Amino acid sequence: MLSASEFSSPVTLALLGSTGSIGTQALDVLRAQPGRFRVAVLTAQRQWQLLVAQAREFRPAAVVIGDESLRGAVQAALHDLPQIEVLAGAQALAEVVTRPEINIVLTALVGYAGLLPTVAAIQAGKDIALANKETLVVAGQLITALVKQHGVRLLPVDSEHSAIFQCLVGEAHNPIEKIILTASGGPFRGRSALELETVTKAQALKHPNWDMGAKITIDSASLMNKGLEVIEAKWLFGLRDEQIDVVVHPQSIIHSLVQFQDGSLKAQLGLPDMKLPIQYALAYPQRLPNQFPRFSFLDYPNLSFEAPDYEAFPNLELAFGAMRRGGNAPCILNAANEIAVAAFLREQLGFRQMSDLVAGCLAQVSYLAQPLLDDLVATDAETRRYASESIKNYELKIKN
């Protein structure tokens, strides 16, 4: 096993979304592997003070603050470190990932915002460690074609997709019969559709197993996160729609499974900790030693499994339906969900009404069977407009 000092040169990475849940855990991984990685770029949308603290510690060549109004604050806070270039805005984000010194781009942005910088990085020949599932949900066919065209690696960071990826190592010549994505069931597992009508934002933000940002936590509570992962898996692993299944596994120890054509199942197990899949993606194909907590079966004597409740959690079926329809339907699903979750967090929509909004957008927004990138950008904008107007109309009805 090579020590850190024996690596010929460090892997240079751009970390998009360094102040979020995945981003901060990725930096924990880098701290534990001194000499193995070098940070070239850090980015954040609005958390400029944390971005500045990270820049002072890791000394990247550039930082990008998405909210352009905060550029001055970041520049002032880093005035004594003129070697760190301070950039701002979406265009800067898409440009900075193409810099020649970058080997790999970890996309830890939340939502649709990850699409265009990921496209730019792939076109520049950068390997992608993908923690932004929405990129493949919105534009899976386009992204996978670009990956093949430019000969880059697309390495999954989501725990479920990392599990499948790990199970497929050494199985290149063995066809997959199906994959099984596991879901914790979230904080409302076992509740009926009627009971879910009255759940609160505070209740939805209490995930039983994972510590994540607000948007992903709400998605997990509604099972939309699992629906997005279903679509992501289709493109990551080149699967047919019918090859993807979901099972609820409340303990979150088995992260996902692969079933082969002989009926054999392979699973990847571990504690619910995102640092392991982050490290695996960044160091692949090596497994680096670490001090992460170890799993023991004695601590989990009972592992249980159950079918998802599609009636109580219609988001999962909406996602399967969008995947089967194809075209820009998954893009509509994602944009509608982002607006719905934001409205729920502002307490403008109830928990179950998020699904109603998504279903309405899928029914009303223009469908395209073979969208190009510009079409997907337009679809995203159209869906957000329609969803936002629907929320305003709903609020007006409530007032009247």
Side-chain angles (χ1 to χ4, degrees):
M1 180 69 68
L2 293 175
S3 67
S5 62
E6 292 176 294
F7 290 110
S8 57
S9 61
V11 174
T12 302
L13 72 143
L15 176 46
L16 309 188
S18 63
T19 60
S21 176
I22 296 296
T24 54
Q25 291 179 85
L27 293 178
D28 287 341
V29 170
L30 303 191
R31 290 184 186 98
Q33 300 289 341
R36 182 65 177 86
F37 302 98
R38 184 173 70 84
V39 178
V41 175
L42 294 171
T43 84
Q45 180 60 25
R46 295 185 184 88
Q47 295 190 64
W48 69 271
Q49 291 167 314
L50 179 53
L51 178 65
V52 166
Q54 293 172 343
R56 287 190 168 280
E57 178 181 359
F58 288 92
R59 302 299 172 94
V63 297
V64 182
I65 185 73
D67 186 336
E68 296 187 49
S69 69
L70 297 173
R71 181 178 184 177
V74 177
Q75 284 181 315
L78 293 174
H79 74 279
D80 59 323
L81 295 173
Q83 69 272 27
I84 300 178
E85 185 179 5
V86 177
L87 305 168
Q91 186 61 38
L93 190 64
E95 290 174 354
V96 76
V97 295
T98 67
R99 294 188 172 190
E101 69 270 22
I102 295 171
N103 305 125
I104 187 167
V105 177
L106 172 53
T107 60
L109 300 170
V110 175
Y112 172 83
L115 174 61
L116 296 182
T118 303
V119 169
I122 293 170
Q123 290 174 331
K126 312 301 181 184
D127 289 338
I128 306 296
L130 189 68
N132 174 254
K133 62 179 65 64
E134 292 85 355
T135 290
L136 285 180
V137 171
V138 170
Q141 187 170 9
L142 183 149
I143 293 294
T144 51
L146 284 175
V147 165
K148 184 176 181 180
Q149 177 186 345
H150 293 279
V152 303
R153 300 185 301 175
L154 190 59
L155 303 163
V157 171
D158 274 345
S159 62
E160 295 82 359
H161 302 92
S162 176
I164 296 164
F165 185 65
Q166 293 180 58
C167 289
L168 291 175
V169 171
E171 302 283 1
H173 301 294
N174 291 317
I176 299 170
E177 187 167 281
K178 70 174 180 178
I179 66 165
I180 303 169
L181 295 172
T182 55
S184 70
F188 305 132
R189 181 178 63 88
R191 296 202 191 187
S192 68
L194 183 61
E195 290 172 316
L196 291 175
E197 294 284 353
T198 57
V199 301
T200 67
K201 177 177 77 170
Q203 291 170 327
L205 286 170
K206 293 181 180 178
H207 195 281
N209 299 334
W210 296 94
D211 181 14
M212 303 173 291
K215 196 269 182 181
I216 299 175
T217 302
I218 300 302
D219 280 348
S220 295
S222 71
L223 290 196
M224 180 59 87
N225 195 53
K226 201 55 50 180
L228 299 178
E229 289 174 359
V230 164
I231 301 171
E232 181 184 9
K234 170 190 173 78
W235 297 110
L236 271 174
F237 305 110
L239 301 171
R240 301 185 307 277
D241 299 344
E242 64 271 17
Q243 288 180 289
I244 307 171
D245 200 1
V246 172
V247 65
V248 174
H249 168 48
Q251 297 81 19
S252 297
I253 294 301
I254 296 178
H255 296 303
S256 279
L257 309 93
V258 178
Q259 183 170 299
F260 295 95
Q261 62 182 0
D262 63 352
S264 297
L265 284 166
K266 286 177 72 173
Q268 189 263 334
L269 288 73
L271 295 171
D273 183 348
M274 283 303 302
K275 289 192 285 292
L276 180 58
I278 291 168
Q279 178 180 285
Y280 188 76
L282 293 179
Y284 180 80
Q286 289 183 290
R287 290 187 180 273
L288 302 180
N290 58 54
Q291 299 300 315
F292 302 158
R294 269 35 180 180
F295 167 74
S296 169
F297 278 103
L298 300 181
D299 295 329
Y300 293 85
N302 297 302
L303 300 179
S304 59
F305 308 89
E306 59 195 62
D309 185 343
Y310 289 93
E311 180 182 356
F313 300 94
N315 277 348
L316 186 54
E317 183 54 44
L318 289 172
F320 269 107
M323 177 178 68
R324 288 189 289 265
R325 193 179 187 197
N328 69 339
C331 180
I332 297 169
L333 175 94
N334 179 72
N337 180 65
E338 289 190 20
I339 296 296
V341 170
F344 175 74
L345 289 170
R346 293 192 302 267
E347 300 182 328
Q348 293 174 297
L349 285 182
F351 186 81
R352 291 271 296 175
Q353 289 166 338
M354 290 190 291
S355 301
D356 296 338
L357 182 66
V358 173
C361 290
L362 284 166
Q364 296 299 324
V365 175
S366 306
Y367 173 73
L368 295 172
Q370 298 290 334
L372 301 175
L373 180 59
D374 287 347
D375 298 320
L376 294 171
V377 172
T379 293
D380 179 81
E382 180 187 353
T383 305
R384 290 172 191 274
R385 284 193 301 270
Y386 182 86
S388 297
E389 286 301 317
S390 298
I391 292 168
K392 289 179 183 177
N393 292 336
Y394 169 76
E395 290 182 304
L396 189 62
K397 288 179 184 177
I398 294 296
K399 289 178 181 178
N400 294 334

